[in-house]
Amino acid sequence: MLKTTKLLLAAAATSALMAGSAWAEGLISIIITDPANPYWLTEGNVAEATAKSLGYEANVAAHKGDTNVESTLIDTAITNKSVAIILDPANADGSIGAVKKAVDAGIPVFLVNAEINQEGLAKAQLVSNNAQGAALGAEAWVAAMGEKGSYVELFGNPADNNAATRSNGYTTVIGQYPDLVQAGKEVGNWDRTQGYQKMQSLLQANPDVTGVISGNDEMALGAIAALKEAGKLAGVKVGGFDGSPDAVAAVAAGEMEYTVLQPVAVFAAEAVKQADNFIKTGATGAATEKQLFDCALITKDNVGKYSAPFTLSE
């Protein structure tokens, strides 16, 4: 009798485990930076669609780089009894408290696109391989410049580690070419309008620049607008980073030399899948918390393979 009971219990446990592997319900809260930027819009859309395809409810909100808003959105996710949070953190240091608050409430957090400066809180941190992408872009930019000239750099948000990683990657490559001289560098905070304004200022101080290397596409597109307005675009090589639809169009039109594609559509979906794994099994299925996804270069030669926002077909 005891043996039979054990067998029945084992069978029931196996059945429950099998049922659990297919079960999914509850709310996944997705918090991005700003949907006005096509990069973050895609990030939110892909994460939401993936969550819904796995059987969850999902909603998307944006903190717009404000850690106070981010903290309030985390509170809302906790109040709504979210089963997981997908977060693009507002600040490498300033977002640690918000993540900890969610973790203390028993909600697993999965970070996308940007890191926080503390490991062991989030279940996963999924980001582009920014150092690899920066080297890829800088090498293409150096070739376009003919290894010489005066240039300026547009730097992203200083609170985002990605900005420094990309800038350092540019410097490592460009520093090997003594005939490439940096005439100026400005912070554009990932924003197109700021890129335009900062490029105007840089042009006033350095009217003979022949190159612009940018931390992202939005700032690069702002710079292109300023260069067009000044009648100087034809003589200036502009490089971007993100792989946004507008940047790809600029590459196709010959206004931008290249853009470095961040695989945001890939890791936004992967973050939700890892959240699903964790909810069901207690493990993400990934070998490490921090995970890097390699970038790809988009030039005039392969621009036709851009098949969807932030997606390059084989």
Side-chain angles (χ1 to χ4, degrees):
M1 180 67 178
L2 183 59
K3 185 176 180 181
T4 302
T5 302
K6 286 182 176 178
L7 288 171
L8 287 171
L9 287 171
T14 301
S15 177
L17 183 60
M18 290 175 67
S21 68
W23 169 86
E25 66 176 31
L27 172 67
I28 293 182
S29 291
I30 301 157
I31 303 171
I32 63 171
T33 301
D34 186 355
N37 183 312
Y39 178 85
W40 287 310
L41 177 65
T42 297
E43 178 181 81
N45 287 347
V46 170
E48 181 181 27
T50 304
K52 288 180 176 178
S53 74
L54 292 170
Y56 298 94
E57 295 176 62
N59 61 30
V60 181
H63 54 63
K64 297 190 177 179
D66 187 325
T67 53
N68 291 321
V69 174
E70 178 183 55
S71 182
T72 300
L73 292 173
I74 292 290
D75 287 337
T76 301
I78 293 169
T79 300
N80 291 340
K81 301 186 186 304
S82 300
V83 293
I85 295 171
I86 309 296
L87 172 67
D88 191 331
N91 187 297
D93 291 312
S95 296
I96 291 172
V99 174
K100 189 175 187 304
K101 183 164 49 174
V103 171
D104 288 345
I107 301 173
V109 179
F110 299 79
L111 303 182
V112 290
N113 179 59
E115 301 172 323
I116 57 171
N117 290 329
Q118 185 171 331
E119 291 191 53
L121 284 177
K123 298 303 177 187
Q125 301 194 51
L126 299 87
V127 301
S128 296
N129 190 341
N130 284 281
Q132 172 261 348
L136 199 64
E139 287 163 3
W141 182 83
V142 166
M145 290 287 291
E147 302 182 5
K148 64 182 184 298
S150 171
Y151 74 96
V152 296
E153 179 184 347
L154 292 171
F155 188 93
N157 181 353
D160 183 342
N161 287 348
N162 292 340
T165 300
R166 293 175 199 172
S167 184
N168 292 339
Y170 296 160
T171 300
T172 298
V173 173
I174 298 169
Q176 300 173 51
Y177 300 91
D179 291 334
L180 282 167
V181 180
Q182 187 179 91
K185 181 177 179 178
E186 291 284 351
V187 172
N189 287 305
W190 307 134
D191 183 74
R192 191 180 304 201
T193 300
Q194 289 189 44
Y196 168 77
Q197 293 168 343
K198 295 301 174 70
M199 191 66 221
Q200 285 184 315
S201 299
L202 287 164
L203 274 175
Q204 287 174 3
N206 310 281
D208 297 325
V209 294
T210 57
V212 178
I213 192 161
S214 177
N216 82 334
D217 284 340
E218 287 296 291
M219 295 187 298
L221 290 163
I224 286 170
L227 288 163
K228 279 183 177 178
E229 191 175 84
K232 292 180 176 289
L233 181 58
V236 180
K237 306 296 184 183
V238 181
F241 199 115
D242 274 350
S244 74
D246 285 354
V248 171
V251 170
E255 296 176 345
M256 189 183 291
E257 293 302 311
Y258 68 86
T259 178
V260 175
L261 175 74
Q262 292 198 77
V264 62
V266 175
F267 62 70
E270 180 62 20
V272 177
K273 292 173 186 174
Q274 290 186 23
D276 178 55
N277 284 338
F278 187 83
I279 290 164
K280 292 171 179 174
T281 70
T284 64
T288 59
E289 175 185 328
K290 289 194 175 184
Q291 302 159 46
L292 298 178
F293 293 75
D294 280 352
C295 302
L297 192 69
I298 297 178
T299 66
K300 228 174 178 181
D301 293 336
N302 67 347
V303 72
K305 294 182 178 179
Y306 191 78
S307 54
F310 303 93
T311 304
L312 195 66
S313 61
E314 294 297 328

